[in-house]
Amino acid sequence: MSKMKAIPRGIQQVRAEGNSNEIKGLIEGLNKAVADFKAYHQAELKQLRGTIDDHAMALAGQQMNGGGARAVQTLGVAALKQAKDNSSFAAMQTWEQGNCRLNVQMSVKAAALTNQNGQPAGGGPNIPSVPEYGGIRAPVLLAPRLLQILPSREVQKDAVQFIQLNATGDAAEQIHEGDEKAEIELGGALKVANIATIAGHTTASRQVLDDGEDEGLQQKIDNTLTTKTLLRLDDQLINGPGGQGRIHGLLPQATAFAPVIGETPADMIGEMIVTMVNEGYGTNLILMNPMDWFKLQLTRVNETDDEYVFGSPTAPLAASLWSTRIVPVPSLAAGNVLGLDTAHVTVLDRMRASVLLSNSHKDYFTRNLVLILAELRAGLEVADAKAVRKLALPAPGP
């Protein structure tokens, strides 16, 4: 057997140094690639953060009262977008006598959205106008609350028929062969959810048309529709008496709940929530009058100190009882509480908001006045009456 010749030590050293240099170069190359990769993404991240900050500052500035264009799409903004290509609106701007209808492509629910300041979307304390006329002072108005939290869907009819389901009986064991098995009866009643037309109008001077895309006309529309008209709908979703052309509200058709265990308002509400959950309902919303909720917030740990159960006046806890969200609603009369499983409650959006402008109303043409009429149509569907419970709080003592 032939022996392999030994590689001279000098050649071994050269090869070892070559391999070492290759590995070292490879490592250096990889390190440089990683460093370049990090630098590139750090620059991208810095630019992205700057863009986010710019947008956040712009959004904050836009949502300040009286500050330029709004980040949120208000009804006034949507109406003016329709006005751009509307020949009737252009004619009215030159003060030709006539009417102009602007159909707003926005759902009732979207119209009820508010800005971060809690004001109606697009609302502000002062409405700028042309310098010669000064501003128009807007009234202090509430923002609709219920429309923002209830599910909604669009419908095409003036009266919507639906089945309000109910079930009786429970499953049980068959003890002996031949015994009749337990019957579970699923039934329902045919119900009709009427669609209500809710409208309101206001009068403005001719210069709001001259403002065109400025805030004068936009704010007039928002103050008429986003506040007054939507607030009326908000109220009727709770208190509507039902019948032809009227909404059947949550309070009139709710199932009454009589507490057995609870004695205090918080305990009574908790018992109602547990009862609904035990019956299979996902109780996820409690509606209360704001003053009733405030009375609960005044509850102290004991009578000897000023420690509050619901946080402190400077740091109150979130509006919640028994892990269920509390929504204070001014249109709900004091002393009443509503518990809802919103999976069974739907706002019916029949007609998206429309705005009618007219200088032909009465003697408006000769007086340089414009009528602004806002209109919407909506209803309420409660698919299960037991998914809405009402509780009467005890009257305060003497």
Side-chain angles (χ1 to χ4, degrees):
M1 176 181 284
S2 61
K3 296 183 179 179
M4 294 182 62
K5 294 183 178 180
I7 299 175
R9 183 178 299 275
I11 296 177
Q12 290 181 357
Q13 184 176 357
V14 169
R15 287 185 176 180
E17 289 177 355
N19 292 337
S20 176
N21 290 335
E22 288 180 6
I23 294 173
K24 183 178 179 181
L26 179 61
I27 293 175
E28 290 177 349
L30 289 174
N31 288 338
K32 187 176 185 304
V34 170
D36 292 343
F37 182 80
K38 287 182 178 179
Y40 171 78
H41 280 279
Q42 284 175 353
E44 289 288 309
L45 182 59
K46 184 178 180 180
Q47 182 179 358
L48 178 60
R49 285 174 176 169
T51 303
I52 293 173
D53 291 341
D54 290 342
H55 283 296
M57 291 178 65
L59 180 61
Q62 289 168 352
Q63 290 185 325
M64 290 177 62
N65 286 336
R70 298 296 188 266
V72 285
Q73 169 87 331
T74 72
L75 285 163
V77 171
L80 289 184
K81 286 183 178 179
Q82 294 291 316
K84 284 184 178 180
D85 302 319
N86 191 299
S87 58
S88 298
F89 182 78
M92 287 189 64
Q93 282 186 306
T94 60
W95 206 240
E96 296 181 29
Q97 192 166 6
N99 304 316
C100 170
R101 179 173 292 276
L102 305 174
N103 293 315
V104 181
Q105 298 302 312
M106 182 183 295
S107 67
V108 170
K109 188 180 183 71
L113 295 177
T114 58
N115 61 28
Q116 291 179 351
N117 298 319
Q119 298 294 327
N126 192 54
I127 305 170
S129 184
V130 291
E132 302 94 296
Y133 301 104
I136 305 169
R137 182 63 59 176
V140 177
L141 296 167
L142 293 168
R145 300 293 306 276
L146 201 56
L147 286 168
Q148 300 178 37
I149 55 180
L150 292 182
S152 67
R153 78 169 187 272
E154 294 188 10
V155 296
Q156 305 299 323
K157 297 182 179 180
D158 294 337
V160 177
Q161 292 186 344
F162 64 98
I163 301 296
Q164 198 171 72
L165 297 175
N166 57 69
T168 58
D170 290 299
E173 297 79 10
Q174 182 189 33
I175 304 301
H176 303 288
E177 187 176 351
D179 288 351
E180 183 179 359
K181 298 178 177 66
E183 180 182 7
I184 301 175
E185 185 175 348
L186 297 176
L190 180 64
K191 298 288 184 178
V192 177
N194 292 312
I195 302 297
T197 299
I198 299 178
H201 66 81
T202 189
T203 299
S205 56
R206 176 181 173 179
Q207 65 261 28
V208 298
L209 297 178
D210 298 332
D211 291 344
E213 298 177 15
D214 206 350
E215 290 191 348
L217 180 55
Q218 171 197 325
Q219 292 280 12
K220 267 292 184 179
I221 294 172
D222 286 335
N223 287 331
T224 303
L225 184 58
T226 308
T227 53
K228 290 292 189 180
T229 312
L230 289 173
L231 280 172
R232 178 61 181 177
L233 175 57
D234 220 45
D235 173 84
Q236 290 301 290
L237 290 175
I238 290 180
N239 302 304
Q244 183 64 36
R246 304 294 299 273
I247 294 174
H248 195 192
L250 294 170
L251 188 61
Q253 63 177 311
T255 300
F257 174 75
V260 178
I261 303 173
E263 297 181 355
T264 67
D267 293 344
M268 294 167 70
I269 293 172
E271 185 179 345
M272 179 175 67
I273 293 172
V274 172
T275 300
M276 292 182 67
V277 170
N278 284 345
E279 294 176 3
Y281 297 97
T283 314
N284 58 345
L285 201 63
I286 298 294
L287 305 182
M288 297 182 69
N289 180 275
M291 195 56 67
D292 288 335
W293 171 240
F294 180 64
K295 290 177 183 177
L296 268 178
Q297 288 180 299
L298 293 179
T299 306
R300 289 172 168 80
V301 176
N302 54 60
E303 298 179 357
T304 60
D305 57 37
D306 290 331
E307 184 180 355
Y308 291 85
V309 173
F310 295 92
S312 70
T314 57
L317 298 178
S320 174
L321 280 177
W322 308 106
S323 300
T324 305
R325 180 185 177 188
I326 300 290
V327 176
V329 182
S331 52
L332 180 60
N336 293 289
V337 177
L338 287 173
L340 276 67
D341 179 351
T342 58
H344 303 275
V345 179
T346 307
V347 176
L348 305 175
D349 193 346
R350 170 64 177 89
M351 185 185 80
R352 296 191 172 197
S354 67
V355 178
L356 176 68
L357 306 175
S358 175
N359 59 7
S360 301
H361 179 65
K362 297 181 180 179
D363 58 350
Y364 278 22
F365 184 74
T366 59
R367 296 172 59 198
N368 282 352
L369 297 177
V370 178
L371 179 137
I372 305 174
L373 171 66
E375 180 179 338
L376 59 85
R377 303 177 71 189
L380 178 69
E381 176 185 281
V382 178
D384 188 335
K386 296 183 72 176
V388 182
R389 305 291 175 97
K390 57 184 175 184
L391 166 68
L393 296 176

